Amino acid sequence: MLRWLIGGGREPQGLAEKSPLQTIGEEQTQNPYTELLVLKAHHDIVRFLVQLDDYRFASAGDDGIVVIWNAQTGEKLLELSGHTQKITAIITFPSLDSCEEKNQLILTASADRTVIVWDSDTGRQVQRVSCFQSTVKCLTVLKRLDVWLSGGNDLCVWNRKLDLLCKTSHLSDTGISALVEIPKNCVIAAVGKELIIFRLVEPTEGSFEWDIIEVKRLLDHQDNILSLVNVNDQSFVTGSHVGELIIWDVLDWTIQAYERNFWDPSPQLDTQQEIKLCQKPNDISIHHFTCDEENVFAAVGRGLYVYNLQMKRVIACQKTAHDSNVLHIAKLPNRQLISCSEDGSVRIWELREKQQLTAEPVPTGFFNMWGFGRVNKQASQPIKKQQENATLCSLELIGDLIGHSSSVEMFLYFEDHGLVTCSADHLIILWKNGERESGLRSLKLFQKLEENGDLYLASSL
């Protein structure tokens, strides 16, 4: 086990003076991850991590292999080879609750236009599907129906035996970028700037065939949809390349909230302000969401934003949480948030309440709340009065994990075993709670001494 000295030695390349990036010193008292294990098995970018159970996870990436690891020890358990090109999607397919044999399957899709089903316990290749006309970019499992779906230029429905049950016609050359299950046997597919809702029709006495029917198209986004997740039982959320966040009703598919950047350049702004406000499109792209009962957490460009579902407004933000685009975020217990970025860093944040003594006029629009655009002062007075003495929140940096030398693609959080990150540097890092690991080592030492009788001898002296 290596001891990792986390510290304030990191400065943004070329931005030490200009960037408003929040930094943290060497004494990171609230950061538990003070030890790490570097795991080497891949030979190219590692893009995906998926949790198999309480102690195992799988990694996959551009080298086309899948590796299964022990999350506690970092031991490499299995290496699964079968694809000839990079892996584009990975998902677990758990066994039915009624099934006596509890073996977990792994489904992987690749740019070689195949999908392979693996046994996660043995590493055996169970079956391969190679009839796709395009690369499968996303996979999802409908556990209640015991089927899985593959999304490429079309949408296909398969059973556990890999029989093709039904499929749609050709949808788009760009393909399906995300799939989410919603009630009433429906799924939502993100295709470019459109959301397409499909309903699965199960076999009945009169019809022994499965079918998939297009129900509706939602055309409210102005640019390509990059992220799509379920918020709760009542809603789901989508985010686009130009910073649109839309919250939808999961039953009737109507818009519950719509926020975006309404930046309108004004002739009254000086040149420096205009340059500062006129950001590149990818600076406001919504790359990832995570949610809890109260909030939607959005990775927007280089920043992090907390959107409250009840108040329908942003209650906290870090406009420059990282030096480069934030790729993945996750909500942890104790009001903590973890983010990783193209800049190679992993950062831990805490959502803290704060009392606003003087409230600023709040512009309409999602990103206008965060400093974009101008507001009519007279129109903002009622809002200002409502904002006075309102409790808002802040995102405070409590940990900065620097171990990767290139973009950190995503991570997994294990409550008992720590944090797992994967990167374009071909490495996986297992970040461990130093205090917990020290306690476990001491416990093992005492147990060994007790087994050998040394503990009794030492106490009798």
Side-chain angles (χ1 to χ4, degrees), residues 82-88 108-116 128-137 150 152-153 158 170 173:
H83 289 295
T84 58
Q85 295 186 44
K86 69 178 183 179
I87 290 175
T88 54
T108 55
S110 169
D112 63 12
R113 297 188 178 183
T114 66
V115 170
I116 298 179
R128 171 195 293 261
V129 181
S130 55
C131 58
F132 297 99
Q133 300 301 311
S134 63
T135 299
V136 173
K137 297 180 180 179
S150 62
N153 291 355
W158 311 80
H170 180 91
D173 289 339

Side-chain angles (χ1 to χ4, degrees), residues 82-258:
H83 289 295
T84 58
Q85 295 186 44
K86 69 178 183 179
I87 290 175
T88 54
I90 181 171
I91 197 171
T92 60
F93 195 178
S95 57
L96 290 171
D97 295 333
S98 58
C99 183
E100 294 182 2
E101 188 178 348
K102 300 292 182 181
N103 64 322
Q104 175 125 279
L105 301 177
I106 301 174
L107 276 64
T108 55
S110 169
D112 63 12
R113 297 188 178 183
T114 66
V115 170
I116 298 179
V117 181
W118 312 86
D119 187 314
S120 67
D121 294 327
T122 65
R124 180 176 62 90
Q125 187 177 132
V126 178
Q127 204 164 346
R128 171 195 293 261
V129 181
S130 55
C131 58
F132 297 99
Q133 300 301 311
S134 63
T135 299
V136 173
K137 297 180 180 179
C138 52
L139 299 166
T140 192
V141 170
L142 307 187
K143 189 176 179 181
R144 186 181 62 81
L145 300 176
D146 198 33
V147 298
W148 60 276
L149 281 66
S150 62
N153 291 355
D154 51 18
L155 182 60
C156 302
V157 183
W158 311 80
N159 63 15
R160 189 175 289 271
K161 297 178 181 179
L162 270 66
D163 298 320
L164 178 60
L165 303 178
C166 55
K167 62 182 292 187
T168 66
S169 59
H170 180 91
L171 297 173
S172 166
D173 289 339
T174 58
I176 298 171
S177 59
L179 276 172
V180 162
E181 180 184 8
I182 56 174
K184 300 179 182 178
N185 284 4
C186 290
V187 294
I188 304 172
V191 183
K193 62 178 72 174
E194 297 183 357
L195 290 172
I196 307 177
I197 298 170
F198 296 96
R199 176 172 286 117
L200 271 70
V201 180
E202 298 179 74
T204 60
E205 291 183 2
S207 172
F208 299 102
E209 305 262 330
W210 284 77
D211 198 5
I212 184 165
I213 302 170
E214 181 179 323
V215 179
K216 191 172 184 179
R217 293 198 177 208
L218 307 176
L219 310 175
D220 299 270
H221 275 289
Q222 303 301 310
D223 209 327
N224 289 342
I225 298 165
L226 302 181
S227 43
L228 163 66
V229 298
N230 279 317
V231 176
N232 48 41
D233 294 338
Q234 289 80 41
S235 57
F236 64 93
V237 61
T238 53
S240 79
H241 181 64
V242 293
E244 304 162 295
L245 179 149
I246 303 181
I247 297 176
W248 308 81
D249 187 285
V250 80
L251 296 176
D252 62 15
W253 317 312
T254 57
I255 294 177
Q256 293 181 337
Y258 179 89

